[in-house]
Amino acid sequence: MAARPLTPPRRVEGQHRTDRRRETRRTATPGTDRARRAGRGRWKYSACAAASPQDRQGAVGGACVSRAAGTFLTTLRPRSAGGRFLSRCRARRPARHFRHAAAPLREQVGAPALRGRPGPGAREAAAGRCRDSPRRSRPPPPPPPQLLLPPCRRRPSMAVFDTPQEAFGALRPACVQLTRAQTMENVARLQAHLAAVSASALQELQEYVLFPLRFALKVPGPKQERLVQSVVQCISSVLAATCVKKQELLQELFSELCTCLSPPSSSSNPVPLSEELKLAVIQALHTLMHSAYGDVIWSLYQPTALPLLGFAVSLLLGLAEQEKAKQIKISALKCLQVLVLQCDCQEHRHLDEDEAQQCGDLFASFLPGISITLSRVITGDIKQGHKSTVSAIRLFYLIVGLVMADAQLARIAKNKEKLPVEESRISELMVHRGPDWSKSTAEKLSLLLHKMVEFSSVHPHWKVRLELVELVHHLLRNCSQSLVDSFSHLLKALVGLVNDENSEVQSRCKEVLQGIAEQRIVAQNRALADVLSENLHSLATALPRLMNSQDDTGKVSTLSLLLGYLKLLGPKINIVLNSISHLHRLSKALMQVLELDVTDVKIVEDRRCEGVCGPSGSLQHGVQKDRCQKKYFRFFTDEKIFQLLQQVCRVLGYYGNLYLLVDHFMGLYGESGMYRKQAAMVLNELITGAAGVGVDVLQEREVSLNVDDLKGSIMSILDEYTDQANWYLITSIDTEEISHEHSVQHSGLTAHPGGACSSVLLLSSEPHITTRTMNSNIWQICIQLEGVGCFAAVLGKEFRLLLLSALYPVLEKAGDKTLLISETALGTLVDICKACSYDSLQCLINENSDYLVNGISLNLRQLAHQPHASQVLDTMLRHSDASLLPLVEDVIQDVLSALDQSYNNQASTFLGVLHSVMTALVQWFGSSSGEEHQQRQTPEWWSGTLSQGQQVVTRQEVEQFFLDYVRQKQIAEGNLPDTGDEEPDEVLPLAEPEPNNSDTEGETPLPSHAQLAKDVMERCIHLLSDGNLRVRLKVLCTLAQKCGDFLRQRFSKDVLPKLTSSLLSQAPASARAGPVYNHTLAFKLQLAVLQGLGSLCEKLDMGESDLNKVADACLIYLSAKQPMKLQEAAQSVFLHLMHVDPDSTWLLLNEVCCPHQYEPPHISLRPVKLSGMGRQRNEFTDNVLLLLEKLQQQESVMLPAGTQEASPP
């Protein structure tokens, strides 16, 4: 079959045929003539023959030219219904039998009424077209081309030329001229004419217009890049407005455009193409792929087109990897995405199952080159920008997800099918995706994915990390079987991005994880579950090292990864827990990571203040405000890290076998004191997670937990917590307390009221108790108390059944002297109230008082083994009301009896309880006097007193005041006047205040609370001679608060000199001592004296000489060399002295350090000279200035208020 010459369309008139041929030869350019001669041979394009650039350039041969020439004639002349061409020159009327048949053609082509007969030239042209084109059945006429194009590809309807005839008349001169001379001006002229042609008309003239443009690309010899660029852009504009409906045209255009990107093979040193030309060709290829109509596109995806497709893929990959221009890289990657039929636009439909299988077989040949090149692009220089990286990641997972899809590989036969002999060369290029190939490819892809994931997961731009999430999602959804070995890296990246700094990445990552859990991808894939288990084992092994070496950000990422593995395993987590090796690694890792920092000495130093707590409502609100004590860990400081560890434990409790976990961690709890605190924390969180409280999971567990099983686990943990060996630990170096704890621990009794022996755990034979040990014990008790609160919150009202074993020990710890323990215990009591639906802590104590009182009574009888019974009573008194008194009255008598039998070693403990008894009695029954005493300490009382002093006072009132003062002073000093010399009327008022004289007959009995107070006072008066200084001080403070006049003289003569001399003698030692001195008994005695001395002076209303002794003894403790707590206690002494005698205190302090110069108000007065004026800064300066400032503030508050109230209205 001979090809048609490459000539412009010829006229068909017979009489002008020869002249027209001559004219064509005469006006043809040399290039046209060469093309004509070259077109005389037979050209047939083959995909296999187009392997080299030279072959590809010449492959576009005569078949295309022949079809183009035939198209010219076809478009020039409308056909009749019989298929014959009609002459445009002769204006003959059509035959009758053609007239009606031509009507549909006029509507289709849009031409006016057709006239004339078909000439011989038309018949020859038609015959030539029939020879060049293969015979096939003619399909039904397609819809108008304008309707076939998507809206974005249609030309505006305001075009000048709407019909093919009009458009041909406008485009023909430009096409002819471009064919004769390939210049940029001719291309621009054609481009301008194309803008005025409608899309429907241009669709009819598509091949006619493309012919001169393609001819310009095929002209032999060097061509200007700008010309080639303009030609390619013009082709792109034609393709953007039309559809390619012929497979041959699509393949030829595709080959021609690809050839534009490839330098000629004959050139030894090819000149690099310009960036503009590369970009134009890439965009033209992109447009060509989108212009393919219907199934025409599949002509590129046949085995015979594999070389051509591979050539295009290699060109685009080279541009994507090697080009520096960002736009070219991005365009090449997007064109590749279209080429592998994974375009993002909505115009293309998704591939069906058979089509995807065909593409997978075809693209498997390109997978190595594509994956390796894309991995280099992804991990390339960050300066290339995030868009190139995002496009490369997207293309990578789309092509890998297509070729390695589980559904496709499952349908692949084990053996490769034999192709016919003529396709043997093609079969060599095709890849058989059998089991061996898929396994080998998965191993190589695993290496690439590992490298890509490590780079992309820490990429600074969030869109790259977001695309990485999409990669994991796509591959996990489509290749969970074939790429199972790669998911150790993929899941690590996915889980690590859950806590990404960008909210979009976080939310998308959580959605993907949620989808994986809901689709049960891991649960239904044992191989994937095994991969997660191995990853979890490796991470648990490395966890202590990572937590010790990473910063807080790295630790958060590591723990997020651990938590993500557990969440993904979900119900399959028991695969890990049933393995001894896995469980051992995981538990030991948690033990090491959760190690507390117990070096802070403040934990031991902070002691609970003796006093009455506020109402139960305010207590509950205050405790809830800061419920959990802040813990300080050895390996991290960020609170977020501890929250992640909590979630890890809760997820284990939610999905895991609770009995197995509790038993394992209880073994660690009893194995070593090193792990006890960490094991207790884990147990608390396990129970919380098992109940589904505060746990964040991706899927529900398969079987919900039984409440009885949960309660059984809680009871076993609670018994272990409250065991005497674990509950009563040494938390202070107080000799009395240490002896108590030793006796308790060696007894081996449980902490339950009246409980029997449960276990014997001997105390470590450590000769010296260190601060670290005491801190560790304090934290262990606090963690166990928090656990009791967690158990109550989990069980709710069901916890009421466990109050018999839990409430009493918690109340003991609420009365502990260590501040941290007492506060934690109070928080636990609040949690119990909330869980068990008690309105307040007072209600909790009152409703369970019978059980508590019984326990106290039983334990008071075993005081050697249960020395903490008094703390329970102390807590009950501090947090209840007067309705409790009838219930505890007998218990208080038992306490007094126990005190009578143990003055030597238990006095200090019982005095605290008796102090709480007296304070509670004052609060419940003596509120008026207590309020009056409190009012005296307020500035309002002082201002009211000053205002009353400014009122008019009569002479008789002044005289009576001084007489009463003298009489009371004589009585206080023991100088009692002779009653015989006094008037009876004057003695009677002094005798009246003794209503409780037991000698009076018929006297009414005292109320129960008054009688109780009397019994307490009778016991305490004997303790004034106790050998323990701390006991004597406690008694003095208690007695001075209620009966100051009685004690004033004895205190001044017997007690005060010894206290002041003790302070003065110990001051040099404490000034020289280091921080360890704060834990000695001498320090605690100094602190106790200083803390109580000020209040004693104020309550006893000491005289001036005694106040001077106290001030002199305490002044040395204002030195900066003294321990800080002693300085603060000395300041409190001077603050009390300010209330008693502010003038003397001011003068004493200014003698030490005077910050101001006082000028006399008149020259006749002498200047004020104080010893502290002009002194340089010394060790006393800071504290003295602070006290003077507070004194000035006190006076400034009192005096103006008094003046304002005294002023007349």
Side-chain angles (χ1 to χ4, degrees):
M1 181 175 62
R4 289 185 174 273
L6 297 177
T7 57
R10 296 172 296 180
R11 302 185 64 182
V12 296
E13 293 84 348
Q15 63 271 27
H16 301 293
R17 185 181 303 141
T18 305
D19 297 336
R20 186 61 179 167
R21 186 180 296 117
R22 292 172 181 172
E23 179 182 358
T24 303
R25 291 197 187 104
R26 187 169 54 252
T27 58
T29 60
T32 307
D33 189 51
R34 287 194 299 268
R36 186 189 303 113
R37 290 195 299 271
R40 291 174 183 171
R42 180 174 179 179
W43 292 74
K44 184 175 181 181
Y45 176 72
S46 173
C48 297
S52 65
Q54 223 173 10
D55 296 337
R56 287 189 295 271
Q57 186 172 359
V60 186
C64 176
V65 178
S66 174
R67 286 193 301 274
T71 304
F72 297 158
L73 300 177
T74 305
T75 310
L76 276 170
R77 298 160 188 81
R79 290 184 297 178
S80 66
R84 306 181 67 180
F85 291 96
L86 302 179
S87 174
R88 298 188 58 187
C89 299
R90 300 180 181 179
R92 296 182 181 180
R93 298 175 63 85
R96 291 183 179 179
H97 59 278
F98 288 141
R99 187 175 302 168
H100 300 288
L105 187 61
R106 289 197 301 270
E107 296 177 1
Q108 178 181 350
V109 181
L114 304 179
R115 298 182 181 181
R117 292 183 178 179
R123 287 194 297 270
E124 292 176 8
R129 178 177 178 83
C130 293
R131 287 195 301 270
D132 290 339
S133 58
R135 291 182 175 273
R136 64 181 66 182
S137 59
R138 180 175 299 170
Q146 176 73 8
L147 300 180
L148 297 175
L149 295 172
C152 61
R153 297 170 56 82
R154 296 176 187 169
R155 286 177 175 261
S157 59
M158 300 297 292
V160 178
F161 306 107
D162 293 331
T163 63
Q165 287 77 13
E166 296 174 350
F168 177 76
L171 295 176
R172 182 178 180 276
C175 291
V176 172
Q177 188 64 26
L178 180 59
T179 306
R180 291 176 178 175
Q182 292 79 31
T183 62
M184 292 184 60
E185 292 76 9
N186 291 338
V187 177
R189 185 180 297 109
L190 177 60
Q191 182 76 46
H193 284 81
L194 289 174
V197 179
S198 65
S200 59
L202 186 60
Q203 180 66 45
E204 294 292 333
L205 302 175
Q206 182 192 50
E207 291 189 58
Y208 176 79
V209 175
L210 289 176
F211 173 79
L213 296 171
R214 297 171 57 198
F215 180 78
L217 296 178
K218 295 193 294 287
V219 172
K223 293 179 281 294
Q224 295 181 359
E225 283 194 357
R226 295 182 62 188
L227 174 62
V228 178
Q229 178 184 345
S230 60
V231 170
V232 171
Q233 289 174 345
C234 190
I235 292 176
S236 181
S237 64
V238 173
L239 295 176
T242 60
C243 292
V244 178
K245 301 180 181 180
K246 295 182 179 180
Q247 298 179 0
E248 296 83 356
L249 179 60
L250 176 64
Q251 292 183 5
E252 292 166 2
L253 282 173
F254 189 82
S255 177
E256 293 165 5
L257 291 175
C258 290
T259 306
C260 294
L261 290 175
S262 175
S265 60
S266 59
S267 176
S268 59
N269 189 14
V271 179
L273 302 178
S274 64
E275 294 180 353
E276 292 79 6
L277 177 58
K278 295 175 183 177
L279 187 60
V281 175
I282 294 172
Q283 291 175 349
L285 284 172
H286 190 278
T287 306
L288 176 63
M289 298 298 296
H290 281 81
S291 66
Y293 175 69
D295 293 337
V296 173
I297 190 70
W298 286 104
S299 63
L300 292 177
Y301 299 96
Q302 302 300 322
T304 55
L306 189 62
L308 177 61
L309 196 61
F311 175 53
V313 169
S314 63
L315 286 174
L316 293 173
L317 285 176
L319 292 175
E321 180 182 8
Q322 300 170 6
E323 280 298 323
K324 301 298 182 183
K326 296 181 181 179
Q327 188 62 33
I328 296 179
K329 295 174 74 72
I330 297 172
S331 299
L333 290 169
K334 289 185 177 179
C335 188
L336 268 172
Q337 187 175 342
V338 177
L339 193 59
V340 297
L341 299 179
Q342 300 293 327
C343 185
D344 294 332
C345 65
Q346 299 179 355
E347 302 172 13
H348 296 150
R349 62 178 177 83
H350 293 287
L351 302 177
D352 59 25
E353 186 175 328
D354 295 333
E355 292 171 347
Q357 187 81 21
Q358 179 181 348
C359 290
D361 293 335
L362 198 67
F363 295 145
S365 303
F366 310 140
L367 183 61
I370 292 178
S371 58
I372 293 174
T373 305
L374 291 179
S375 66
R376 288 198 292 259
V377 175
I378 294 170
T379 59
D381 191 355
I382 200 173
K383 296 179 181 178
Q384 69 182 352
H386 73 279
K387 291 184 179 180
S388 301
T389 308
V390 169
S391 300
I393 293 175
R394 182 180 296 116
L395 179 58
F396 183 92
Y397 70 72
L398 288 175
I399 186 68
V400 172
L402 178 65
V403 177
M404 301 297 293
D406 296 334
Q408 294 187 28
L409 296 178
R411 296 194 298 268
I412 299 294
K414 292 185 178 180
N415 299 322
K416 186 176 182 180
E417 297 180 1
K418 294 184 179 181
L419 297 177
V421 179
E422 58 272 10
E423 298 182 3
S424 59
R425 293 185 61 188
I426 298 297
S427 65
E428 294 177 0
L429 302 177
M430 295 290 290
V431 171
H432 178 66
R433 294 186 291 168
D436 296 337
W437 177 90
S438 60
K439 181 179 180 181
S440 175
T441 304
E443 292 176 356
K444 296 178 176 64
L445 286 174
S446 178
L447 300 176
L448 297 178
L449 284 170
H450 186 201
K451 183 179 178 181
M452 290 165 48
V453 164
E454 285 188 346
F455 182 86
S456 303
S457 59
V458 294
H459 198 280
H461 202 283
W462 65 272
K463 288 188 177 180
V464 176
R465 303 193 299 271
L466 181 62
E467 201 63 32
L468 179 61
V469 176
E470 300 298 337
L471 179 144
V472 179
H473 181 222
H474 187 85
L475 295 184
L476 188 61
R477 184 179 56 188
N478 297 291
C479 313
S480 59
Q481 300 287 342
S482 59
L483 297 179
V484 66
D485 295 335
S486 302
F487 283 102
S488 60
H489 315 304
L490 298 178
L491 292 176
K492 179 179 179 180
L494 183 63
V495 173
L497 292 174
V498 171
N499 296 310
D500 192 84
E501 59 184 10
N502 184 269
S503 58
E504 293 190 29
V505 178
Q506 280 189 18
S507 59
R508 179 56 182 157
C509 198
K510 291 178 181 177
E511 289 177 6
V512 172
L513 287 173
Q514 189 71 37
I516 293 173
E518 291 176 354
Q519 297 171 14
R520 302 179 64 82
I521 295 177
V522 178
Q524 297 175 359
N525 190 340
R526 179 59 186 266
L528 196 55
D530 291 340
V531 169
L532 283 174
S533 301
E534 291 301 321
N535 287 359
L536 187 63
H537 184 270
S538 302
L539 183 59
T541 303
L543 189 61
R545 175 180 56 82
L546 295 175
M547 296 298 289
N548 195 21
S549 59
Q550 291 179 326
D551 58 1
D552 281 356
T553 304
K555 293 171 185 175
V556 169
S557 301
T558 302
L559 290 175
S560 299
L561 184 61
L562 176 65
L563 179 59
Y565 285 157
L566 295 175
K567 288 183 178 180
L568 285 175
L569 281 171
K572 293 290 184 179
I573 206 170
N574 287 313
I575 297 176
V576 178
L577 300 181
N578 291 334
S579 170
I580 298 177
S581 174
H582 283 67
L583 182 58
H584 179 77
R585 286 287 185 184
L586 183 59
S587 59
K588 285 301 179 68
L590 290 175
M591 294 300 99
Q592 295 180 46
V593 170
L594 286 170
E595 184 177 352
L596 287 167
D597 182 9
V598 292
T599 59
D600 188 8
V601 296
K602 292 183 178 179
I603 299 176
V604 178
E605 291 178 351
D606 291 339
R607 312 297 283 175
R608 179 175 60 85
C609 297
E610 298 289 345
V612 183
C613 190
S616 59
S618 62
L619 165 70
Q620 191 161 347
H621 175 73
V623 172
Q624 285 181 340
K625 191 174 181 180
D626 188 14
R627 169 64 184 91
C628 292
Q629 301 291 342
K630 181 175 176 59
K631 301 176 180 65
Y632 298 93
F633 295 89
R634 180 181 175 186
F635 294 110
F636 60 88
T637 56
D638 192 354
E639 186 67 22
K640 188 176 182 180
I641 298 176
F642 180 56
Q643 294 173 0
L644 286 172
L645 288 169
Q646 285 181 311
Q647 282 296 316
V648 166
C649 299
R650 291 177 184 180
V651 170
L652 283 173
Y654 185 81
Y655 289 120
N657 186 338
L658 186 59
Y659 281 116
L660 173 64
L661 290 169
V662 169
D663 181 71
H664 180 75
F665 284 99
M666 286 294 288
L668 292 175
Y669 179 88
E671 177 182 328
S672 170
M674 228 172 127
Y675 296 151
R676 193 161 297 157
K677 297 179 293 299
Q678 300 94 300
M681 279 190 281
V682 173
L683 286 169
N684 297 344
E685 301 301 334
L686 285 175
I687 296 298
T688 304
V693 178
V695 58
D696 182 19
V697 293
L698 297 175
Q699 55 183 319
E700 296 295 329
R701 51 190 167 193
E702 297 175 348
V703 180
S704 59
L705 187 66
N706 190 358
V707 179
D708 293 334
D709 295 339
L710 183 63
K711 190 185 298 183
S713 299
I714 288 176
M715 290 179 65
S716 63
I717 299 173
L718 198 58
D719 290 340
E720 192 71 22
Y721 281 0
T722 55
D723 186 86
Q724 296 270 0
N726 301 322
W727 196 251
Y728 299 111
L729 303 174
I730 298 175
T731 59
S732 172
I733 60 172
D734 188 349
T735 308
E736 184 175 325
E737 182 176 347
I738 292 178
S739 63
H740 291 171
E741 308 302 346
H742 269 278
S743 63
V744 167
Q745 291 182 348
H746 285 286
S747 69
L749 298 178
T750 61
H752 304 164
C757 178
S758 63
S759 65
V760 178
L761 184 63
L762 295 179
L763 183 67
S764 173
S765 57
E766 198 173 353
H768 180 63
I769 304 297
T770 62
T771 304
R772 184 184 183 89
T773 303
M774 291 186 289
N775 281 348
S776 178
N777 293 339
I778 290 172
W779 274 119
Q780 180 182 334
I781 295 172
C782 291
I783 293 169
Q784 292 172 170
L785 286 168
E786 290 176 357
V788 177
C790 292
F791 304 157
V794 163
L795 292 179
K797 289 187 177 180
E798 293 289 329
F799 193 75
R800 290 196 175 204
L801 302 176
L802 303 181
L803 286 178
L804 292 175
S805 59
L807 182 57
Y808 188 94
V810 175
L811 286 173
E812 277 185 350
K813 295 305 176 184
D816 197 276
K817 297 177 183 179
T818 304
L819 180 62
L820 189 62
I821 295 177
S822 63
E823 287 184 349
T824 307
L826 289 175
T828 301
L829 290 172
V830 171
D831 289 341
I832 294 175
C833 291
K834 185 177 179 181
C836 299
S837 300
Y838 288 106
D839 296 334
S840 63
L841 183 55
Q842 172 184 327
C843 182
L844 171 66
I845 293 174
N846 289 347
E847 292 192 18
N848 295 276
S849 57
D850 52 349
Y851 136 73
L852 294 172
V853 167
N854 181 58
I856 295 172
S857 300
L858 292 175
N859 290 334
L860 284 175
R861 297 171 187 172
Q862 304 175 7
L863 205 56
H865 304 298
Q866 298 289 347
H868 300 281
S870 58
Q871 294 180 2
V872 182
L873 180 60
D874 183 20
T875 305
M876 293 174 65
L877 293 171
R878 285 190 292 117
H879 300 291
S880 188
D881 57 2
S883 61
L884 183 67
L885 184 59
L887 297 173
V888 300
E889 191 171 357
D890 293 338
V891 178
I892 296 174
Q893 294 296 334
D894 293 341
V895 170
L896 294 175
S897 301
L899 178 61
D900 294 339
Q901 299 173 4
S902 58
Y903 275 115
N904 295 330
N905 53 4
Q906 297 284 340
S908 179
T909 302
F910 288 114
L911 278 176
V913 181
L914 297 179
H915 181 265
S916 299
V917 171
M918 298 302 294
T919 306
L921 292 178
V922 171
Q923 181 184 2
W924 298 340
F925 303 102
S927 59
S928 59
S929 60
E931 291 175 358
E932 179 182 356
H933 173 73
Q934 292 179 358
Q935 289 176 358
R936 291 184 180 181
Q937 311 302 324
T938 59
E940 290 76 7
W941 183 85
W942 285 93
S943 60
T945 304
L946 291 174
S947 63
Q948 291 177 5
Q950 295 178 3
Q951 295 177 359
V952 179
V953 182
T954 61
R955 181 178 62 84
Q956 292 79 7
E957 291 176 344
V958 175
E959 181 181 2
Q960 186 62 37
F961 171 77
F962 282 105
L963 290 175
D964 293 340
Y965 176 77
V966 171
R967 185 179 298 109
Q968 294 293 338
K969 186 176 181 180
Q970 291 175 351
I971 295 174
E973 294 175 352
N975 187 13
L976 299 178
D978 188 4
T979 55
D981 298 336
E982 296 290 337
E983 295 289 334
D985 296 337
E986 295 178 356
V987 177
L988 285 177
L990 297 176
E992 287 178 358
E994 298 180 354
N996 295 335
N997 191 354
S998 59
D999 297 333
T1000 307
E1001 295 182 359
E1003 184 179 0
T1004 57
L1006 292 174
S1008 59
H1009 63 277
Q1011 184 62 43
L1012 187 61
K1014 179 182 177 183
D1015 294 340
V1016 172
M1017 297 300 292
E1018 288 177 350
R1019 297 302 200 288
C1020 292
I1021 196 65
H1022 302 292
L1023 295 175
L1024 284 173
S1025 59
D1026 192 274
N1028 191 337
L1029 178 60
R1030 298 175 65 185
V1031 174
R1032 297 199 300 270
L1033 283 174
K1034 283 187 177 182
V1035 175
L1036 279 176
C1037 293
T1038 305
L1039 294 178
Q1041 185 175 359
K1042 304 303 175 185
C1043 47
D1045 293 340
F1046 173 75
L1047 292 177
R1048 185 183 300 114
Q1049 185 175 2
R1050 294 192 60 184
F1051 178 78
S1052 175
K1053 290 182 179 180
D1054 301 335
V1055 179
L1056 186 59
K1058 294 182 180 180
L1059 293 180
T1060 54
S1061 62
S1062 175
L1063 290 175
L1064 291 172
S1065 62
Q1066 293 292 332
S1070 59
R1072 295 189 305 268
V1076 182
Y1077 183 76
N1078 294 356
H1079 304 288
T1080 62
L1081 184 60
F1083 170 81
K1084 295 189 175 183
L1085 291 176
Q1086 285 175 287
L1087 185 61
V1089 172
L1090 289 173
Q1091 288 177 343
L1093 194 56
S1095 60
L1096 280 173
C1097 292
E1098 183 178 1
K1099 293 171 183 176
L1100 295 177
D1101 195 15
M1102 304 296 294
E1104 183 177 355
S1105 60
D1106 293 333
L1107 294 178
N1108 290 336
K1109 294 177 183 179
V1110 172
D1112 292 337
C1114 296
L1115 183 61
I1116 193 173
Y1117 288 93
L1118 294 179
S1119 171
K1121 298 179 180 180
Q1122 297 288 340
M1124 182 56 66
K1125 286 199 170 183
L1126 296 184
Q1127 295 181 45
E1128 294 173 355
Q1131 291 177 13
S1132 68
V1133 174
F1134 282 95
L1135 290 176
H1136 285 288
L1137 295 181
M1138 290 177 188
H1139 290 152
V1140 180
D1141 192 352
D1143 296 336
S1144 299
T1145 306
W1146 177 89
L1147 183 59
L1148 175 64
L1149 294 175
N1150 276 276
E1151 291 289 339
V1152 178
C1153 177
C1154 183
H1156 305 291
Q1157 297 291 334
Y1158 296 100
E1159 298 294 335
H1162 193 267
I1163 57 175
S1164 61
L1165 299 176
R1166 294 181 180 181
V1168 178
K1169 293 184 180 180
L1170 298 175
S1171 301
M1173 289 183 178
R1175 284 190 179 181
Q1176 294 183 352
R1177 187 178 185 85
N1178 55 28
E1179 59 194 78
F1180 299 96
T1181 304
D1182 291 337
N1183 287 324
V1184 170
L1185 291 179
L1186 179 63
L1187 290 172
L1188 289 173
E1189 183 181 357
K1190 290 184 178 180
L1191 179 60
Q1192 185 178 1
Q1193 292 175 356
Q1194 176 180 320
E1195 292 180 349
S1196 63
V1197 171
M1198 295 176 180
L1199 293 178
T1203 305
Q1204 183 177 2
E1205 291 182 8
S1207 60

